[in-house]
Amino acid sequence: MPQYKATVVAKKSLGQHFLKNDSVIQRIINLGNIQEDEQVMEIGPGPGALTNLLRDLRCSKLWLLEKDDAFALKHEEYAETKKLEHMKVFHMDALTFDWKSLEGEWKIMGNLPYNVASPLMWDIVSQVPQLKSAVFMIQKEVAQRIRAAEGSKTYGALSVWIQSYCKVEKGFIVSPTAFSPPPKVDSEVIILKPLPKEALPKDPKNLSRLIKIGFQQRRKQLHGLLQKALPKEYNPNIWDILELDMHCRAETLSPQKFQQLCALLFPQK
Ligand code: SAM
């Protein structure tokens, strides 16, 4: 497929910053560590910087999710002309993709549109039934938040949620000069590796509720926030059981403590 980087006009509204540095592109692909016959999904292929290499890797499926009409059409035409039956283009907003419908193990990759990266990752880690790994390029500042440990300033709802599902590894930092047009900020490639099944949240709905309650007013003590938001479920004994100071704030609770808190407030019947 021709790389029409030079001629294409980037759409700001779709977070379009196209990779032009071959070594960065290759390093991202290498982090995917794609083996023959694996199922791979790429989010936001754009002109195809990553796609062009992914196509050569003999995946059993290569599915592309692209919102931009022109790029989606180009990839569709290419797959049709070259009779690449393993390739399928979903011309749609990735935020509306039904992640739960994916069958078998999947690796997911993408230089994500920064404006939707956080909600997309939120859904992917919690909804893809068998995620093998994910390699995403995102804003460096968001990557730092995702990797942050409890107690740190950048630790927040996204950190708790993603770390409840995955181990987060730092890939590498990418400077704006690797893109056209260059974004205003540095980017970072991260690798998400799902935790073992037994460690995953048992009650995602209520866990996400709790995380949102705790971080919406992060400077406030958690006990006050819970008492107000969940008057029926709140029980003052939970702090002793969890071995936590009752005056603690959400930002001091590890992802595991959040899960324990969830199990106490919402016991499974
Ligand atoms: N993969 C290309 C690269 O690395 O050069 C393009 C990456 S660019 C940062 C993000 C891509 O995601 C663009 O192609 C854009 O059209 C697409 N995109 C933006 N929002 C999207 C959405 N909600 N769903 C699917 N694709 C989207």
Side-chain angles (χ1 to χ4, degrees), residues 11 13-20 25 28 42-51 65-69 71 90 92-96 110-116 120 137 179-180:
K11 295 187 185 105
S13 62
L14 289 177
Q16 294 182 345
H17 296 281
F18 307 123
L19 272 168
K20 60 172 188 179
I25 294 168
I28 297 175
E42 187 194 349
I43 300 172
L50 299 171
T51 329
L65 276 187
E66 176 58 67
K67 191 172 175 184
D68 185 286
D69 303 339
F71 291 140
F90 292 79
M92 63 184 293
D93 183 342
L95 286 172
T96 63
N111 169 13
L112 296 185
Y114 294 163
N115 47 347
V116 292
L120 258 177
M137 169 127 70
F179 304 85
S180 172

Side-chain angles (χ1 to χ4, degrees), residues 114-182:
Y114 294 163
N115 47 347
V116 292
S118 298
L120 258 177
M121 290 186 287
W122 184 284
D123 288 350
I124 288 170
V125 297
S126 55
Q127 293 179 18
V128 174
Q130 292 183 65
L131 180 65
K132 219 168 173 186
S133 70
V135 175
F136 293 134
M137 169 127 70
I138 52 179
Q139 264 183 54
K140 185 173 96 177
E141 179 252 322
V142 177
Q144 284 170 342
R145 278 202 273 134
I146 291 177
R147 289 191 285 106
E150 63 271 18
S152 77
K153 255 196 207 156
T154 45
Y155 184 73
L158 194 62
S159 336
V160 179
W161 186 252
I162 299 224
Q163 291 176 32
S164 297
Y165 286 91
C166 293
K167 188 166 159 269
V168 186
E169 291 174 8
K170 180 178 175 176
F172 58 99
I173 306 278
V174 183
S175 98
T177 55
F179 304 85
S180 172

